[in-house]
């Protein structure tokens, strides 16, 4: 869950300094509290993209399209739904969240609203492999999500990816919503939404830093299993997987 296209030219680029990688959990002051998930840097121009092939181009939207019609999820914390971002409506709130020091430490998008706008707009201008969303809990926006095709991401070079693997990135925007277990609750809800709405996707994946025990614990508590340790270019991570076949057992 915290949080990164196999095609460097097509993947939305991030306004961030190099050397960081995918999913990241920020846990200031309260070690058990899930605060923010960060995805990795965009691939550099000299990275060799994975060969997606014609089928990937044809089915790229199968996993992440039509988020706007996904039904809400009823969770122990309230009714939750994902709403695709509209910059003209959502930019002030997103920029406010990105300037929270706890968020900025990992997302590195602090500054004027234009910084956040460039980050989000790059996804809109891409090929649909990543969809930015607001997380709405009981009618109030409180989190930011990116739902993306992990099997078409550079991450897929580091683990045995399966077609339509779906990745998630998350930040919880308001300090008052942190430290009360919402991360695990919402992770489970979003993973279920992905699996319910996309029959082609058999798994939801994430890659928290292996040293971030609270992050790994949050995934385990939300139905993800620890699948492997991976050596990524800048860190060692835990590959966390939520399987469709095990979703009612974990």
């Amino acid at each position: 869950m915290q949080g990164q296209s196999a095609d460097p030219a097509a993947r939305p680029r991030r306004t961030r300094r190099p050397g960081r990688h995918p999913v990241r959990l920020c846990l200031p002051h309260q070690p058990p509290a899930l605060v923010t998930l960060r995805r990795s840097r965009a691939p550099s121009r000299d990275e060799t993209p994975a060969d997606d092939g014609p089928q990937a181009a044809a089915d790229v939207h199968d996993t992440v399209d039509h988020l706007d019609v996904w039904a809400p999820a009823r969770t122990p914390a309230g009714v939750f739904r994902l709403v695709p971002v509209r910059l003209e409506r959502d930019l002030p709130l997103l920029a406010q969240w990105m300037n929270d020091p706890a968020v900025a430490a990992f997302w590195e998008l602090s500054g004027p609203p234009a910084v956040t706008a460039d980050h989000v707009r790059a996804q809109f201008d891409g090929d649909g492999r990543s969809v930015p969303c607001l997380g709405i809990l009981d009618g109030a926006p409180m989190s930011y999500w990116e739902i993306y095709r992990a099997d078409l991401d550079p991450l897929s070079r580091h683990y045995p990816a399966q077609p339509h693997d779906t990745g998630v990135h998350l930040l919880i925007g308001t300090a008052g919503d942190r430290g009360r277990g919402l991360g695990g609750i919402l992770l489970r809800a979003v993973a279920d939404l992905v699996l319910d709405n996309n029959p082609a996707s058999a798994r939801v994946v994430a890659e928290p830093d292996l040293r971030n025990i609270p992050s790994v614990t949050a995934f385990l508590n939300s139905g993800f299993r620890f699948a492997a340790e991976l050596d990524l270019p800048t860190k060692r991570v835990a590959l966390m997987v939520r399987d469709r076949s095990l979703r009612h057992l974990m």
Side-chain angles (χ1 to χ4, degrees), residues 1 4 21-23 148 155 205-209 232 235 237-239:
M1 169 189 102
Q4 309 167 72
H21 201 291
V23 201
Y148 73 103
L155 175 65
V205 303
E207 70 284 22
D209 192 310
L232 299 183
K235 66 179 180 180
V237 303
L239 177 66

Side-chain angles (χ1 to χ4, degrees), residues 8-156:
R11 187 66 170 175
R13 290 196 169 271
R14 296 182 170 274
T15 54
R16 68 186 302 264
R17 66 177 181 270
R20 304 291 288 271
H21 201 291
V23 201
R24 181 66 61 92
L25 211 63
C26 168
L27 300 148
H29 309 306
Q30 301 166 323
L34 179 64
V35 177
T36 178
L37 312 174
R38 174 57 205 251
R39 70 189 289 184
S40 65
R41 62 178 177 81
S44 62
R45 292 185 181 277
D46 58 355
E47 283 186 82
T48 302
D51 183 7
D52 295 347
Q55 181 59 34
D59 66 15
V60 67
H61 294 289
D62 290 357
T63 299
V64 297
D65 208 3
H66 307 304
L67 278 166
D68 55 329
V69 299
W70 288 10
R74 297 191 176 276
T75 78
V79 177
F80 179 81
R81 62 191 178 101
L82 291 172
V83 176
V85 166
R86 286 170 38 198
L87 272 178
E88 67 276 14
R89 176 193 65 197
D90 303 324
L91 181 57
L93 180 61
L94 291 176
Q96 176 184 324
W97 289 348
M98 294 301 182
N99 279 278
D100 182 321
V103 174
F106 291 95
W107 284 75
E108 298 172 355
L109 293 173
S110 61
V115 176
T116 299
D118 288 346
H119 168 79
V120 175
R121 192 175 290 116
Q123 297 179 71
F124 292 140
D125 294 341
D127 59 6
R129 295 179 181 183
S130 180
V131 179
C133 298
L134 284 181
I136 311 296
L137 185 63
D138 285 340
M142 47 72 63
S143 55
Y144 172 71
W145 298 75
E146 293 169 348
I147 312 298
Y148 73 103
R149 281 287 299 269
D151 60 323
L152 304 180
D153 190 89
L155 175 65
S156 65

Side-chain angles (χ1 to χ4, degrees), residues 16 18 28 40 55-56 61 71 97 113 125 130 139 145 152 162 166 178-179 182 185 189 195 199 206 210 213 236 245:
R16 68 186 302 264
S40 65
Q55 181 59 34
H61 294 289
W97 289 348
D125 294 341
S130 180
W145 298 75
L152 304 180
Q162 296 180 8
T166 303
R178 302 171 192 156
L182 278 178
I185 291 172
L195 297 174
L210 192 62
I213 302 303
R236 191 166 179 80
S245 60

Side-chain angles (χ1 to χ4, degrees), residues 188 192 195 220-225 242-250:
R188 181 180 292 273
D192 283 343
L195 297 174
L220 292 172
N221 289 341
S222 58
F224 284 75
R225 61 180 172 85
R242 180 89 190 274
D243 301 276
R244 178 184 297 279
S245 60
L246 300 176
R247 62 184 296 201
H248 297 303
L249 301 177
M250 301 177 65

